[in-house]
Amino acid sequence: MANSPRETSTAPSLQHPESVVSHWAHMRKNPYPMLGRVMRPPNPESRGSRPTAEENVPNRFELFLLGDGEKKVTEETDTRIPSTSVFTFNKEDHTLGNMLRSRLLQSPHVLFSGYKVPHPLFSNFILRVQTDGTLTPRQALLQACKDLVTDLGLLSREFTKEWELRKMVINEMPGPSNTLLIEGTFEELADELSHYLDEVKKKEGDTSTAIQTEIAQLLEQNQKDEVLKKLVTGSAALNSAPEKEIIAAYNLLVHLVRQSPNPNIFLPKICHNLSQPITSSKSNGPGLALSVLTTIFNILPQENDVRYHVFLAILRVVRSSNSFELLRSQLKSLDTWIAQWETDEEDQRKLYLSITDVADEAGEAEQSYLYLLRALRTIPSNEASSADARTLSLRALKAALAYPTHFDFQDLTSLDSIQGLRKSDPVFFELLEIFTAQTLDDYNDFKDEHGEDFITSTASLSDVQLTRKIRLLTLASLAASSSTRSIPYAQIIHALQIPSEDVEIWVIDTIRAGLVEGKLSQLNQVFLVHRCSYRVFGEKQWVEVQGRLDTWRASLE
């Protein structure tokens, strides 16, 4: 036994505790035993036939190509749980597994959906699906796959559209680049463009008189404006031109129009054509139109009021493509542009309403309300009772009530057109007054008097949303009127008409809405107010402020 490996080994042994002591003593003297040694490369011959690490790496195609006789998906029914199957996906990984799991869980008939990857080195995963019996797991999985294909197709189209639009407009409207550096005389370019328009119309089956023939005699007589009228009238055909040629063709037309002594009479028609759908490229059409429109916008002098009509066309394109984000950065310059164009109040109102519609369709409720309010401010006092003013006022009132985070209605009640509703629509004005300064009790009395149908049908509002908003406002009024800055839970329960277990939830929601600041005392069952917002600030509020100042001064004395 003297030559046994246990006795000759220098490693510590559990059978010989003293060896452990001697080993660690050696380590204390030399804690890094590998330092100072010469590292020699291993002898290839000593490895024999063992494969290297590089040789062990599987081929990449094995991660996604099925082997001979291998199925993509196999199903195994789980007999222990009703309506449950286990699917094995070969040559797939977390990407597909997570998407299928998430999509399956969106189905109301799927009770459970989960997946696992048995081993990270093997490209397969196991998906377990349980349904309520209305659909089989196989049917639920097939439907989820179809829905995923639809979603990914929509994602691809939207991404392509946004990518193309971003290339056209990023943060600033692109300035006039080399797109308008076109060589040639007016006659040569006009003849070239007319020939191109005739070719496009011919491909669309339009057999009307050729534009090139119509303008030939006009060119000989040097009647440029008449030539441009023919070209601009026929330019609507460019919307069906090949995608790669649309920008070049429109830029050529704009170049010709700029050579007229009266270019402003032709540009609105071109802008109108560009705001119409580009039929030859439904996905990239808005981006192409924006490219030409922004070029026109930038080549015009800053004080040229035609820019106003170009911007309206840009708004129509943005609205049709639902790409409000591209417009957001431009709105910062809107006031400057309006001052440069010297637009009257009616044109300003039209512009603000166009922005309102674009924002509304894009789901930008805050921006929509902001520009609707600006449109109302352009209505002069002598027109505050007109039919148009009434329509806009009702629209703004409903928008303010429906917007979940809008709590200050002083911006509305200060407008003459809104005050005009006091006579034309007294019930709507009464509802506005309730949300301006009154409480939940007043709102309930309003519903008792006019019926809940007025809220849901006539006003097209949600009673659930309005009730929630008036509760938050009621608590804000309660905090503002409290002289002790301490509101008992019982008072909140009574004012908000809620169960006791919901008090803290409503207080937290009111704090999140920015209406009050404070903290809850569960021990004393009170809400301690640190700061609150006054819904209205009039004579009564000034008296309260004076009283608090007097109290504060007395405490100092």
Side-chain angles (χ1 to χ4, degrees):
M1 298 295 292
N3 297 325
S4 65
R6 183 180 301 277
E7 295 180 1
T8 58
S9 173
T10 60
S13 172
L14 293 178
Q15 284 76 10
H16 297 82
E18 63 277 7
S19 64
V20 178
V21 176
S22 62
H23 174 76
W24 286 109
H26 171 71
M27 288 297 294
R28 289 182 64 186
K29 295 179 181 177
N30 184 14
Y32 305 105
M34 297 302 293
L35 294 181
R37 297 185 183 180
V38 178
M39 302 300 294
R40 295 183 177 87
N43 186 1
E45 297 179 359
S46 65
R47 291 200 304 260
S49 58
R50 287 182 298 172
T52 63
E54 291 78 5
E55 293 171 345
N56 275 329
V57 176
N59 295 316
R60 290 186 180 274
F61 66 84
E62 294 181 3
L63 298 176
F64 54 86
L65 290 182
L66 293 172
D68 295 337
E70 188 177 18
K71 293 184 178 180
K72 187 69 175 179
V73 185
T74 58
E75 178 184 8
E76 181 181 353
T77 303
D78 190 340
T79 57
R80 298 170 299 174
I81 305 175
S83 302
T84 302
S85 291
V86 178
F87 300 90
T88 301
F89 286 76
N90 293 312
K91 307 305 181 187
E92 295 294 346
D93 55 14
H94 288 282
T95 303
L96 181 62
N98 195 35
M99 287 196 298
L100 285 175
R101 178 195 64 83
S102 300
R103 191 68 201 187
L104 282 164
L105 290 176
Q106 296 180 22
S107 172
H109 303 298
V110 175
L111 303 179
F112 175 82
S113 174
Y115 81 98
K116 68 175 181 179
V117 176
H119 196 283
L121 295 182
F122 296 97
S123 54
N124 59 11
F125 68 88
I126 298 172
L127 176 70
R128 177 181 290 271
V129 182
Q130 180 184 2
T131 65
D132 59 1
T134 306
L135 296 176
T136 65
R138 178 192 288 261
Q139 291 173 332
L141 180 60
L142 287 173
Q143 185 60 46
C145 291
K146 292 178 182 178
D147 293 341
L148 270 181
V149 171
T150 303
D151 292 344
L152 292 174
L154 177 62
L155 175 64
S156 176
R157 291 192 297 273
E158 290 297 318
F159 179 83
T160 302
K161 180 184 74 174
E162 292 297 331
W163 176 258
E164 293 298 328
L165 289 173
R166 285 285 177 181
K167 289 195 297 185
M168 304 300 176
V169 183
I170 302 179
N171 292 323
E172 296 290 336
M173 288 192 177
S177 58
N178 58 358
T179 52
L180 295 185
L181 298 179
I182 303 171
E183 296 182 355
T185 64
F186 179 89
E187 290 74 14
E188 293 172 346
L189 296 176
D191 183 70
E192 179 183 345
L193 180 59
S194 63
H195 175 72
Y196 180 77
L197 289 173
D198 289 337
E199 291 295 321
V200 173
K201 291 169 63 178
K202 188 182 299 182
K203 291 180 181 178
E204 293 295 316
D206 188 347
T207 57
S208 58
T209 306
I211 300 176
Q212 189 175 21
T213 304
E214 293 180 344
I215 70 170
Q217 186 176 359
L218 297 174
L219 287 173
E220 292 177 359
Q221 299 173 0
N222 197 28
Q223 298 183 19
K224 289 186 176 181
D225 281 356
E226 294 300 322
V227 171
L228 290 173
K229 286 181 182 179
K230 298 289 184 181
L231 293 175
V232 171
T233 302
S235 65
L238 293 178
N239 287 19
S240 58
E243 178 180 340
K244 295 181 179 180
E245 301 172 2
I246 291 177
I247 293 179
Y250 265 114
N251 283 341
L252 175 57
L253 178 61
V254 172
H255 174 72
L256 292 173
V257 167
R258 292 181 68 195
Q259 299 185 41
S260 168
N262 302 303
N264 292 353
I265 63 176
F266 303 109
L267 290 176
K269 175 62 177 176
I270 297 175
C271 293
H272 173 75
N273 292 342
L274 286 166
S275 63
Q276 301 302 309
I278 295 181
T279 57
S280 60
S281 179
K282 294 182 179 179
S283 58
N284 299 328
L288 299 173
L290 284 176
S291 177
V292 180
L293 286 170
T294 50
T295 299
I296 298 174
F297 187 90
N298 285 294
I299 63 177
L300 292 172
Q302 293 183 350
E303 67 279 1
N304 193 325
D305 58 0
V306 176
R307 284 182 124 200
Y308 169 84
H309 300 284
V310 179
F311 192 69
L312 285 178
I314 291 174
L315 290 177
R316 289 192 290 270
V317 176
V318 170
R319 181 180 181 181
S320 67
S321 60
N322 195 22
S323 50
F324 182 80
E325 285 300 321
L326 301 178
L327 182 66
R328 193 185 299 275
S329 61
Q330 312 305 324
L331 296 179
K332 299 175 183 178
S333 306
L334 187 61
D335 292 336
T336 303
W337 292 341
I338 289 176
Q340 292 171 345
W341 302 334
E342 299 180 352
T343 55
D344 57 22
E345 291 181 335
E346 185 176 352
D347 285 339
Q348 289 181 35
R349 191 180 318 130
K350 182 179 179 181
L351 182 60
Y352 291 145
L353 289 177
S354 297
I355 299 174
T356 298
D357 294 336
V358 174
D360 192 31
E361 291 199 8
E364 296 283 344
E366 183 176 3
Q367 291 291 322
S368 175
Y369 177 73
L370 173 64
Y371 283 94
L372 181 57
L373 207 59
R374 296 183 70 171
L376 278 174
R377 289 173 182 150
T378 62
I379 299 177
S381 300
N382 58 352
E383 298 179 9
S385 301
S386 64
D388 290 341
R390 173 181 176 271
T391 301
L392 290 181
S393 298
L394 287 176
R395 181 179 176 183
L397 187 151
K398 294 177 183 179
L401 292 175
Y403 189 41
T405 59
H406 187 82
F407 299 101
D408 183 8
F409 297 91
Q410 292 291 316
D411 52 0
L412 276 179
T413 55
S414 62
L415 297 175
D416 292 336
S417 58
I418 293 293
Q419 289 295 326
L421 297 178
R422 191 188 295 271
K423 294 182 179 179
S424 62
D425 298 88
V427 181
F428 276 103
F429 192 82
E430 180 184 355
L431 182 62
L432 176 61
E433 286 184 319
I434 291 173
F435 281 84
T436 301
Q438 298 177 23
T439 62
L440 178 62
D441 289 334
D442 300 299
Y443 178 66
N444 289 333
D445 292 341
F446 176 87
K447 288 194 295 183
D448 292 339
E449 180 181 355
H450 301 286
E452 191 173 324
D453 288 343
F454 177 84
I455 301 293
T456 57
S457 300
T458 307
S460 302
L461 296 169
S462 169
D463 178 56
V464 175
Q465 292 181 354
L466 293 186
T467 302
R468 182 182 185 279
K469 178 178 283 193
I470 196 63
R471 278 198 171 110
L472 298 177
L473 292 170
T474 300
L475 183 53
S477 297
L478 204 61
S481 61
S482 175
S483 59
T484 62
R485 293 290 178 171
S486 177
I487 309 175
Y489 279 17
Q491 190 176 357
I492 298 176
I493 292 171
H494 176 74
L496 271 61
Q497 303 175 16
I498 56 174
S500 57
E501 58 269 18
D502 291 345
V503 170
E504 295 180 357
I505 296 176
W506 281 101
V507 171
I508 292 172
D509 286 346
T510 309
I511 293 174
R512 287 175 176 171
L515 297 173
V516 296
E517 289 181 5
K519 66 179 181 179
L520 292 162
S521 175
Q522 294 180 333
L523 180 63
N524 299 321
Q525 294 286 288
V526 295
F527 172 49
L528 303 175
V529 181
H530 296 166
R531 185 199 64 82
C532 61
S533 299
Y534 285 96
R535 295 168 63 187
V536 292
F537 206 90
E539 182 178 354
K540 179 181 178 181
Q541 285 70 37
W542 280 114
V543 172
E544 288 181 8
V545 171
Q546 182 180 1
R548 289 175 183 172
L549 288 174
D550 292 339
T551 303
W552 178 69
R553 184 175 59 184
S555 65
L556 291 178
E557 295 175 353

